[in-house]
Amino acid sequence: MKGMIFNIQRFCLHDGPGIRTTVFFKGCSLNCAWCHNPESHKSCPELLYSPANCIRCGACAQVCPEKLHSRSGSGHSFDRALCRACGACAAVCPTGALELSGKEADADEVFAQVLRDAEFYRAGSGGLTLSGGEPMAQPAFALELARKAREAGIHVCVETCGYCDRGDLKKMLPYTDLFLYDFKLADSEAHKRWTGADNAMILDNLAFLNESGAGIVLRCPIIPGVNFTDGHFDSIERVSQLYPAVRQIDLEPYHPLGIQKSMRLGRAAGFELDGFLERDRLEVYARRLGSRVPIQVNII
Ligand code: SF4
Ligand code: SF4
């Protein structure tokens, strides 16, 4: 069983309870303007290039089978349009100016890496988190990893935008301890404008998970100019009270790291705000929300 991933990160502290290993799936069913992992959008490998780190050594030009790199005077140019993401140039780049994001990975190999930290999971109630991108966009691979983990007694979190097939979600239920479920915008038109899809399927799937007795943490990206409003916090409150399976609310303040990554991918950034949402501004809202709901509200 193989899947496309772009990272495996150990010792994660914000991807569910305890110390966790997070497997980042490549490919996403939404296209959120503020995404901080734009390299996760496409389901194929992609090359990132940081001109500031290039020392113009010419190593990439020597290995590229398509002859896409060239040294022009004191500079280095690169024709991205014809790149087939073979990764040869990134493998020889001495400074990391070129980096390949995405590789096909075998479920057994991925799980072997997850098992390396099994002692930490047992000691600190951590486990495996499937994230992305969108893990439910590769449902068979997600199911295989979750099944392996549960059979090994490892806690499983699935971080999802909820824009996925109901049948696939149903299959994941027996192997998932906690869904880290995104709630971005209550208004369907605004959801479509900012993420590329309306929220009907997402809200239906949330209701389904609630009825199925799943564990749910509501994950709420808070984006200035999009949903950093009193009305949106009212919506978070309503949703969490409507669905008793929601046991915690995590607020995720906007940060602009996706802008640089979009540039490294040769794409226009979907969101121009280059400042962080300050924690103390969000704390005011978090405290007020926390006083209205019977569950924990965190800023992560
Ligand atoms: S990834 Fe492969 S095809 Fe693309 S520029 Fe590098 S060596 Fe050339
Ligand atoms: S191999 Fe890396 S550092 Fe050398 S010219 Fe190519 S991009 Fe620049």
Side-chain angles (χ1 to χ4, degrees), residues 6-288:
F6 68 97
N7 198 7
I8 299 176
Q9 203 168 324
R10 300 166 67 195
F11 305 115
C12 298
L13 296 174
H14 299 294
D15 294 338
I19 297 172
R20 313 192 67 85
T21 296
T22 301
V23 179
F24 291 89
F25 286 48
K26 192 151 164 39
C28 190
S29 40
L30 295 182
N31 187 12
C32 302
W34 57 82
C35 181
H36 60 275
N37 281 335
E39 75 274 37
S40 72
H41 288 178
K42 292 187 182 174
S43 55
C44 55
E46 292 174 274
L47 195 65
L48 291 95
Y49 173 52
S50 307
N53 294 336
C54 175
I55 56 171
R56 297 172 289 279
C57 67
C60 48
Q62 287 173 24
V63 298
C64 176
E66 307 292 335
K67 307 287 179 225
L68 302 179
H69 297 270
S70 57
R71 274 194 293 183
S72 46
S74 59
H76 159 242
S77 59
F78 157 52
D79 183 1
R80 182 183 291 278
L82 298 174
C83 174
R84 55 184 169 90
C86 70
C89 58
V92 299
C93 177
T95 63
L98 293 164
E99 191 188 335
L100 192 71
S101 176
K103 64 170 183 180
E104 196 175 63
D106 182 88
D108 288 333
E109 288 165 16
V110 172
F111 191 61
Q113 291 197 52
V114 172
L115 279 178
R116 285 164 66 184
D117 295 322
E119 287 307 313
F120 289 104
Y121 310 147
R122 290 186 192 107
S125 317
L128 167 67
T129 297
L130 307 182
S131 182
E134 174 52 58
M136 296 308 297
Q138 298 182 64
F141 188 58
L143 184 64
E144 179 72 359
L145 286 176
R147 189 185 59 75
K148 283 175 181 297
R150 283 299 291 273
E151 286 174 1
I154 294 173
H155 185 276
V156 175
C157 285
V158 175
E159 183 168 23
T160 179
C161 70
Y163 194 71
C164 59
D165 181 81
R166 171 75 55 83
D168 292 333
L169 213 48
K170 206 169 177 177
K171 286 183 199 157
M172 285 299 283
L173 267 170
Y175 305 105
T176 306
D177 295 280
L178 204 52
F179 287 90
L180 310 179
Y181 202 97
D182 289 358
F183 178 64
K184 296 173 170 123
L185 282 155
D187 180 80
S188 203
E189 272 305 308
H191 198 283
K192 187 166 186 177
R193 186 163 72 247
W194 287 107
T195 74
D198 68 48
N199 62 11
M201 183 194 287
I202 293 168
L203 296 178
D204 282 354
N205 280 337
L206 181 58
F208 163 74
L209 288 180
N210 177 69
E211 285 156 21
S212 306
I216 302 171
V217 170
L218 213 57
R219 286 271 171 130
C220 307
I222 303 299
I223 317 297
V226 177
N227 64 8
F228 188 32
T229 62
D230 288 332
H232 183 57
F233 281 84
D234 291 345
S235 302
I236 296 171
E237 179 186 342
R238 272 198 302 277
V239 166
S240 68
Q241 290 182 337
L242 188 61
Y243 299 127
V246 175
R247 58 175 74 161
Q248 181 178 306
I249 297 168
D250 288 348
L251 304 176
E252 302 172 313
Y254 172 75
H255 65 71
L257 303 182
I259 294 177
Q260 275 295 324
K261 284 192 199 172
S262 291
M263 290 166 69
R264 291 172 64 206
L265 287 159
R267 291 188 211 140
F271 203 67
E272 297 300 329
L273 185 69
D274 62 2
F276 288 75
L277 170 55
E278 299 89 351
R279 199 178 171 90
D280 53 350
R281 284 180 68 203
L282 186 53
E283 267 167 5
V284 176
Y285 287 78
R287 273 198 298 275
R288 196 164 55 209

